[in-house]
Amino acid sequence: LEDTFKLKEGDRKKQIQGLKEQIRSQEERISRCDDMLLNREIDKETHQRMIPKLKEEITILKEKIKLQETSETGFMKYCRFGIPL
């Protein structure tokens, strides 16, 4: 029974890893936008429009990670409510 729950826990770890990868991707995009501004490939207004959007996405992803990490595992929930004492 615990093995079944551990499989699902592995999925949760993969989800967290995927979210962290998305954060890294957004951070790289911010860095590229900064570089583009410095190289005068984009103007200041475009930069100011893009950066807050990317930072907001990072904040949302971090919240999703926090929820995944703090939520109770299915096995622990089962142990608390499903096993008669």
Side-chain angles (χ1 to χ4, degrees):
L1 182 63
E2 186 176 357
D3 292 338
T4 303
F5 285 107
K6 282 187 179 182
L7 282 174
K8 290 184 180 181
E9 184 67 21
D11 289 342
R12 188 161 100 168
K13 288 179 182 179
K14 286 180 185 177
Q15 288 175 349
I16 291 171
Q17 189 62 33
L19 292 169
K20 287 180 179 179
E21 200 57 43
Q22 289 178 18
I23 289 173
R24 277 190 286 279
S25 174
Q26 297 297 10
E27 288 170 344
E28 288 173 9
R29 290 178 73 189
I30 288 173
S31 180
R32 277 185 273 152
C33 285
D34 292 342
D35 291 342
M36 290 172 75
L37 178 65
L38 291 172
N39 295 330
R40 299 177 190 255
E41 295 172 23
I42 60 172
D43 60 6
K44 186 176 180 180
E45 291 80 27
T46 303
H47 183 268
Q48 288 176 341
R49 190 179 68 242
M50 294 171 73
I51 297 300
K53 206 185 300 187
L54 293 170
K55 287 184 177 181
E56 181 181 348
E57 288 178 27
I58 289 172
T59 301
I60 291 169
L61 291 168
K62 285 181 178 179
E63 284 297 316
K64 287 181 179 181
I65 289 172
K66 188 175 179 181
L67 284 172
Q68 285 287 336
E69 290 176 338
T70 59
S71 65
E72 189 173 41
T73 65
F75 182 71
M76 292 308 295
K77 203 179 283 187
Y78 178 79
C79 286
R80 245 185 338 113
F81 296 112
I83 299 176
L85 297 176

